[in-house]
Amino acid sequence: MVYTDLHYFGCLSYYHVLAQHEHIVFDSNAAFSKMSFKNRMVIATAQGPLHLTIPIVGGRDQKTPMNEVRIAYDSPWKSQHFKAINVNYKRAPYFEYYVDSLKALFDNEYVYLNEFLIATQYWTKQQLKSKWLIETSIEHPNMNIETKWMDSIKPNNFQTAGKQFQYQQVFDESIGFIQNTCIIDALFAMGGKQTLAMIA
């Protein structure tokens, strides 16, 4: 079992650790923290890594427990995020295979950040056809090394954190490979079966 924070379509090194376990427990009571992947993901673009951030009610400086953090809808972030994904991945080999179900995920309006993050985890699990068990908990079991390491993955160190991967990205030829982007980057490039085999 691994116990960790929820990430917004987490990076590949995050999913590499998840793939080593049959049972994944997400901490739904952890305090929200700025400069984390709790409400941010990184995609690859022709200009380099692009950080997409979900706005939250109360701003990023709060320490509210994750299960109480509400998503802010005073800006059209869902359409902006989906447009960024569409523009940058529409030429990826498996984009058409995943785009409809991904759009359906973004079309739902979730009140709480945790609800949306759990939905992204189930979506990712389905696309990878992985067998791990997902649950959330407000308990705090003893933290193991993997848990502490996964919680240390930050937007300012994600390209050097953990296991390194290599595959054909959309913009490889123009800007080179961008290490450790979000899981959907690999899904669009290789499909679920190859992505799971790579991160396992």
Side-chain angles (χ1 to χ4, degrees):
M1 182 182 81
V2 65
Y3 185 84
T4 189
D5 289 341
L6 281 158
H7 287 193
Y8 178 29
F9 287 120
C11 60
L12 290 176
S13 59
Y14 173 84
Y15 277 97
H16 168 66
V17 177
L18 296 190
Q20 312 308 307
H21 298 271
E22 296 180 356
H23 187 186
I24 301 163
V25 181
F26 293 110
D27 183 358
S28 62
N29 201 38
F32 179 82
S33 53
K34 64 181 180 180
M35 289 306 293
S36 73
F37 283 113
K38 290 183 175 80
N39 67 328
R40 184 188 315 217
M41 71 166 160
V42 181
I43 66 171
T45 78
Q47 290 74 45
L50 175 64
H51 293 243
L52 300 176
T53 304
I54 301 171
I56 60 172
V57 175
R60 65 178 192 167
D61 291 324
Q62 62 185 294
K63 297 294 183 182
T64 307
M66 279 292 289
N67 57 359
E68 298 177 16
V69 174
R70 292 174 176 262
I71 299 174
Y73 287 99
D74 49 355
S75 66
W77 70 268
K78 290 193 301 178
S79 60
Q80 291 169 349
H81 287 201
F82 188 77
K83 180 180 179 181
I85 292 167
N86 188 67
V87 166
N88 289 289
Y89 290 108
K90 61 186 177 183
R91 291 183 295 154
Y94 288 87
F95 178 74
E96 292 297 330
Y97 186 80
Y98 297 113
V99 65
D100 289 342
S101 62
L102 188 64
K103 185 177 186 302
L105 187 65
F106 278 97
D107 282 345
N108 286 322
E109 189 158 312
Y110 295 88
V111 174
Y112 293 98
L113 180 61
N114 261 13
E115 293 176 331
F116 179 61
L117 297 183
I118 284 292
T120 66
Q121 290 293 341
Y122 277 108
W123 183 89
T124 303
K125 176 185 175 181
Q126 182 179 9
Q127 311 319 317
L128 292 172
K129 296 180 173 57
S130 66
K131 307 234 181 256
W132 57 62
L133 172 67
I134 292 175
E135 68 172 300
T136 60
S137 176
I138 60 172
E139 301 297 324
H140 294 278
N142 292 329
M143 300 291 101
N144 58 31
I145 293 173
E146 286 179 340
T147 297
K148 290 178 181 176
W149 176 81
M150 289 174 75
D151 292 347
S152 73
I153 303 173
K154 304 292 183 186
N156 61 356
N157 72 357
F158 74 96
Q159 288 188 283
T160 57
K163 184 175 172 63
Q164 304 292 291
F165 299 96
Q166 195 78 31
Y167 54 93
Q168 185 69 46
Q169 286 178 326
V170 175
F171 304 106
D172 263 2
E173 293 184 4
S174 56
I175 64 168
F177 186 76
I178 301 173
Q179 190 62 243
N180 214 14
T181 53
C182 67
I183 188 71
I184 62 173
D185 184 90
L187 281 170
F188 290 150
M190 299 185 293
K193 184 177 181 180
Q194 289 188 63
T195 298
L196 183 59
M198 179 183 72
I199 64 175

Coordinates of all heavy atoms in Angstrom, one line a residue, residues 137-184:
S137 N -8.8 8.5 2.3 CA -8.8 8.3 3.8 C -8.5 9.6 4.5 O -7.7 10.4 3.9 CB -7.8 7.2 4.2 OG -7.8 7.1 5.6
I138 N -9.0 9.8 5.6 CA -8.6 11.0 6.5 C -7.8 10.5 7.6 O -7.4 11.3 8.5 CB -9.9 11.8 7.0 CG1 -10.7 10.9 7.9 CG2 -10.7 12.4 5.8 CD1 -11.9 11.6 8.6
E139 N -7.5 9.2 7.6 CA -6.5 8.7 8.6 C -5.1 9.0 8.2 O -4.8 9.3 7.0 CB -6.7 7.2 8.8 CG -8.1 6.8 9.2 CD -8.5 7.4 10.6 OE1 -7.6 7.4 11.5 OE2 -9.7 7.7 10.8
H140 N -4.2 9.0 9.1 CA -2.8 9.2 8.8 C -1.9 8.1 9.3 O -1.4 8.1 10.4 CB -2.3 10.5 9.5 CG -3.0 11.7 8.9 ND1 -2.6 12.4 7.8 CD2 -4.1 12.4 9.4 CE1 -3.4 13.4 7.5 NE2 -4.3 13.4 8.5
P141 N -1.8 7.0 8.5 CA -0.9 5.9 8.9 C 0.5 6.4 8.9 O 0.9 7.5 8.4 CB -1.2 4.9 7.8 CG -1.6 5.7 6.6 CD -2.4 6.9 7.2
N142 N 1.4 5.5 9.4 CA 2.8 5.9 9.4 C 3.3 6.1 8.0 O 3.1 5.4 7.1 CB 3.7 4.7 10.0 CG 3.4 4.6 11.5 OD1 3.1 5.6 12.2 ND2 3.5 3.4 12.0
M143 N 4.0 7.3 7.8 CA 4.5 7.6 6.4 C 5.7 6.8 6.1 O 6.6 6.6 6.9 CB 4.9 9.1 6.4 CG 3.7 10.0 6.7 SD 2.5 10.1 5.4 CE 1.2 9.1 6.1
N144 N 5.7 6.2 4.9 CA 6.9 5.4 4.5 C 7.8 6.3 3.6 O 7.4 7.4 3.2 CB 6.5 4.1 3.8 CG 5.6 4.3 2.6 OD1 5.7 5.3 1.9 ND2 4.7 3.3 2.4
I145 N 8.9 5.7 3.2 CA 9.8 6.5 2.3 C 9.2 6.9 1.0 O 9.3 8.1 0.6 CB 11.1 5.7 2.1 CG1 11.9 5.5 3.4 CG2 12.0 6.4 1.1 CD1 13.1 4.6 3.3
E146 N 8.4 6.0 0.4 CA 7.8 6.4 -0.9 C 6.8 7.5 -0.7 O 6.7 8.4 -1.5 CB 7.1 5.1 -1.5 CG 8.1 4.1 -2.0 CD 7.4 2.9 -2.6 OE1 6.3 2.7 -2.2 OE2 8.0 2.2 -3.4
T147 N 6.0 7.4 0.3 CA 5.0 8.5 0.6 C 5.7 9.8 0.7 O 5.3 10.8 0.1 CB 4.2 8.1 1.9 OG1 3.5 6.9 1.6 CG2 3.2 9.3 2.2
K148 N 6.7 9.9 1.6 CA 7.4 11.2 1.8 C 8.1 11.6 0.5 O 8.0 12.8 0.2 CB 8.5 11.0 2.8 CG 7.9 10.8 4.2 CD 9.0 10.5 5.3 CE 8.5 10.3 6.6 NZ 9.5 10.0 7.6
W149 N 8.6 10.7 -0.3 CA 9.2 11.1 -1.6 C 8.2 11.7 -2.5 O 8.4 12.7 -3.2 CB 9.9 9.9 -2.2 CG 10.5 10.4 -3.6 CD1 11.7 11.0 -3.8 CD2 9.9 10.2 -4.9 NE1 11.8 11.3 -5.1 CE2 10.7 10.8 -5.8 CE3 8.7 9.6 -5.3 CZ2 10.4 10.8 -7.2 CZ3 8.4 9.6 -6.6 CH2 9.2 10.2 -7.5
M150 N 7.0 11.0 -2.7 CA 6.0 11.5 -3.6 C 5.5 12.8 -3.2 O 5.1 13.6 -4.1 CB 4.9 10.4 -3.7 CG 5.3 9.2 -4.4 SD 4.1 7.9 -4.4 CE 2.9 8.5 -5.6
D151 N 5.3 13.1 -1.9 CA 4.9 14.4 -1.5 C 5.9 15.5 -1.7 O 5.6 16.7 -1.7 CB 4.6 14.3 0.0 CG 3.4 13.4 0.4 OD1 2.6 13.1 -0.6 OD2 3.1 13.1 1.5
S152 N 7.1 15.1 -2.0 CA 8.2 16.1 -2.3 C 8.3 16.5 -3.8 O 9.0 17.4 -4.1 CB 9.5 15.6 -1.8 OG 10.0 14.6 -2.7
I153 N 7.5 15.9 -4.6 CA 7.5 16.3 -6.1 C 6.8 17.6 -6.2 O 5.6 17.8 -5.8 CB 6.8 15.2 -6.9 CG1 7.4 13.8 -6.8 CG2 6.8 15.7 -8.4 CD1 6.6 12.8 -7.5
K154 N 7.6 18.6 -6.6 CA 7.0 20.0 -6.7 C 7.2 20.5 -8.2 O 8.0 20.0 -8.9 CB 7.8 20.9 -5.8 CG 7.8 20.4 -4.3 CD 6.4 20.5 -3.7 CE 6.5 20.2 -2.2 NZ 5.2 20.1 -1.6
P155 N 6.4 21.5 -8.5 CA 6.5 22.1 -9.8 C 7.9 22.7 -10.1 O 8.2 22.8 -11.3 CB 5.5 23.3 -9.8 CG 4.5 22.8 -8.8 CD 5.2 22.1 -7.7
N156 N 8.7 23.0 -9.1 CA 10.0 23.5 -9.4 C 11.1 22.4 -9.5 O 12.3 22.7 -9.7 CB 10.4 24.5 -8.3 CG 10.5 24.0 -6.9 OD1 10.2 22.8 -6.7 ND2 10.9 24.8 -6.0
N157 N 10.7 21.1 -9.3 CA 11.8 20.1 -9.4 C 11.3 18.8 -10.2 O 11.9 17.8 -10.2 CB 12.2 19.7 -8.0 CG 11.2 18.9 -7.2 OD1 10.1 18.6 -7.7 ND2 11.5 18.4 -6.0
F158 N 10.1 18.9 -10.8 CA 9.5 17.8 -11.4 C 10.3 17.1 -12.5 O 10.3 15.9 -12.7 CB 8.1 18.1 -11.9 CG 8.1 18.9 -13.2 CD1 8.0 18.2 -14.4 CD2 8.2 20.3 -13.2 CE1 8.0 19.0 -15.6 CE2 8.2 21.0 -14.4 CZ 8.1 20.3 -15.6
Q159 N 11.1 17.9 -13.2 CA 11.9 17.3 -14.3 C 13.1 16.5 -13.8 O 13.7 15.7 -14.6 CB 12.4 18.5 -15.2 CG 11.2 19.0 -16.0 CD 11.7 20.0 -17.1 OE1 12.1 21.1 -16.8 NE2 11.7 19.5 -18.3
T160 N 13.5 16.6 -12.6 CA 14.6 15.9 -12.1 C 14.2 14.9 -11.0 O 15.0 14.2 -10.4 CB 15.7 16.8 -11.5 OG1 15.1 17.6 -10.4 CG2 16.3 17.7 -12.5
A161 N 12.9 14.8 -10.7 CA 12.4 14.0 -9.6 C 12.1 12.6 -10.1 O 11.4 12.4 -11.0 CB 11.1 14.6 -9.0
G162 N 12.7 11.6 -9.4 CA 12.4 10.2 -9.6 C 12.9 9.6 -10.9 O 13.9 10.1 -11.5
K163 N 12.3 8.5 -11.3 CA 12.7 7.8 -12.5 C 12.6 8.6 -13.7 O 11.6 9.3 -13.9 CB 11.9 6.5 -12.6 CG 12.3 5.6 -13.7 CD 11.5 4.3 -13.7 CE 11.7 3.4 -14.9 NZ 13.1 3.0 -15.0
Q164 N 13.5 8.5 -14.6 CA 13.5 9.2 -15.9 C 12.9 8.3 -17.0 O 13.2 7.2 -17.1 CB 14.9 9.7 -16.3 CG 15.6 10.6 -15.2 CD 14.9 11.9 -15.0 OE1 15.0 12.8 -15.9 NE2 14.2 12.1 -13.9
F165 N 12.2 8.9 -17.9 CA 11.5 8.2 -19.0 C 11.9 8.8 -20.3 O 12.3 10.0 -20.4 CB 10.0 8.2 -18.8 CG 9.5 7.5 -17.5 CD1 9.3 8.3 -16.4 CD2 9.4 6.2 -17.4 CE1 8.8 7.7 -15.2 CE2 9.0 5.6 -16.3 CZ 8.7 6.3 -15.2
Q166 N 11.7 8.0 -21.4 CA 12.0 8.6 -22.7 C 11.0 7.9 -23.7 O 10.9 6.7 -23.7 CB 13.4 8.3 -23.1 CG 13.9 9.1 -24.3 CD 14.3 10.5 -24.0 OE1 14.7 10.8 -22.9 NE2 14.1 11.4 -24.9
Y167 N 10.3 8.7 -24.5 CA 9.4 8.2 -25.5 C 9.3 9.4 -26.5 O 9.8 10.5 -26.3 CB 8.1 7.8 -24.9 CG 7.4 8.8 -24.1 CD1 6.5 9.7 -24.6 CD2 7.7 8.9 -22.7 CE1 5.9 10.7 -23.8 CE2 7.1 9.9 -21.9 CZ 6.2 10.7 -22.4 OH 5.6 11.7 -21.6
Q168 N 8.5 9.1 -27.6 CA 8.4 10.1 -28.6 C 7.3 11.1 -28.3 O 6.1 10.7 -28.3 CB 8.1 9.5 -30.0 CG 8.0 10.4 -31.2 CD 9.4 11.0 -31.5 OE1 10.4 10.2 -31.6 NE2 9.4 12.3 -31.8
Q169 N 7.6 12.3 -28.0 CA 6.6 13.4 -27.7 C 6.3 14.2 -29.0 O 7.1 14.1 -29.9 CB 7.2 14.3 -26.6 CG 7.2 13.8 -25.2 CD 7.7 14.7 -24.2 OE1 8.6 15.5 -24.5 NE2 7.2 14.7 -23.0
V170 N 5.2 14.9 -28.9 CA 4.8 15.6 -30.1 C 5.8 16.6 -30.6 O 6.1 16.8 -31.8 CB 3.5 16.4 -29.8 CG1 3.1 17.3 -31.0 CG2 2.4 15.4 -29.5
F171 N 6.5 17.3 -29.7 CA 7.4 18.4 -30.1 C 8.9 18.0 -29.9 O 9.8 18.9 -29.8 CB 7.1 19.6 -29.2 CG 5.7 20.1 -29.4 CD1 4.8 19.9 -28.3 CD2 5.3 20.7 -30.5 CE1 3.5 20.3 -28.5 CE2 4.0 21.1 -30.7 CZ 3.1 20.9 -29.6
D172 N 9.2 16.7 -29.9 CA 10.6 16.2 -29.7 C 11.5 16.9 -30.7 O 12.6 17.3 -30.4 CB 10.6 14.7 -30.0 CG 10.6 13.9 -28.7 OD1 10.5 14.6 -27.6 OD2 10.7 12.7 -28.7
E173 N 11.2 16.9 -32.0 CA 12.1 17.4 -33.0 C 12.4 18.8 -32.9 O 13.5 19.3 -33.3 CB 11.5 17.0 -34.4 CG 11.4 15.5 -34.7 CD 10.9 15.2 -36.1 OE1 10.7 16.2 -36.9 OE2 10.8 14.1 -36.4
S174 N 11.4 19.6 -32.4 CA 11.7 21.1 -32.4 C 12.3 21.6 -31.1 O 13.1 22.5 -31.1 CB 10.3 21.8 -32.6 OG 9.4 21.4 -31.7
I175 N 11.9 21.0 -29.9 CA 12.4 21.5 -28.7 C 13.1 20.4 -27.8 O 13.7 20.7 -26.8 CB 11.3 22.1 -27.8 CG1 10.2 21.1 -27.4 CG2 10.7 23.3 -28.6 CD1 9.3 21.7 -26.4
G176 N 13.1 19.1 -28.3 CA 13.7 18.1 -27.5 C 12.7 17.5 -26.5 O 11.6 18.0 -26.3
F177 N 13.1 16.4 -25.8 CA 12.2 15.8 -24.9 C 12.0 16.5 -23.6 O 13.0 17.0 -23.0 CB 12.7 14.4 -24.6 CG 11.8 13.5 -23.7 CD1 10.7 12.9 -24.3 CD2 12.1 13.3 -22.4 CE1 9.8 12.1 -23.5 CE2 11.2 12.6 -21.6 CZ 10.1 12.0 -22.1
I178 N 10.8 16.7 -23.1 CA 10.5 17.3 -21.8 C 10.2 16.2 -20.8 O 9.3 15.5 -20.9 CB 9.3 18.2 -21.9 CG1 9.5 19.3 -23.0 CG2 9.0 18.9 -20.5 CD1 8.3 20.2 -23.2
Q179 N 11.1 16.1 -19.8 CA 11.1 15.0 -18.8 C 9.9 15.2 -17.8 O 9.7 16.3 -17.4 CB 12.4 14.9 -18.1 CG 12.6 13.7 -17.2 CD 12.6 12.4 -18.0 OE1 11.7 11.6 -17.8 NE2 13.5 12.3 -18.9
N180 N 9.3 14.0 -17.5 CA 8.4 13.9 -16.4 C 7.2 14.9 -16.5 O 6.7 15.4 -15.5 CB 9.1 14.2 -15.1 CG 8.6 13.4 -13.9 OD1 7.9 12.4 -14.1 ND2 9.0 13.7 -12.7
T181 N 6.6 15.0 -17.7 CA 5.3 15.7 -17.8 C 4.2 14.9 -17.2 O 4.4 13.8 -16.7 CB 5.0 16.1 -19.3 OG1 5.1 14.9 -20.0 CG2 6.0 17.1 -19.8
C182 N 2.9 15.3 -17.4 CA 1.8 14.6 -16.8 C 1.5 13.3 -17.5 O 1.9 13.1 -18.7 CB 0.6 15.5 -16.8 SG 0.0 15.9 -18.5
I183 N 0.7 12.5 -16.9 CA 0.4 11.1 -17.4 C -0.3 11.2 -18.8 O -0.1 10.3 -19.6 CB -0.4 10.3 -16.4 CG1 -0.5 8.9 -16.8 CG2 -1.7 11.0 -16.1 CD1 0.7 8.0 -16.7
I184 N -1.1 12.2 -19.0 CA -1.8 12.2 -20.3 C -0.8 12.4 -21.5 O -1.2 12.0 -22.6 CB -3.0 13.3 -20.3 CG1 -2.4 14.7 -20.1 CG2 -4.0 12.9 -19.3 CD1 -3.5 15.7 -20.3

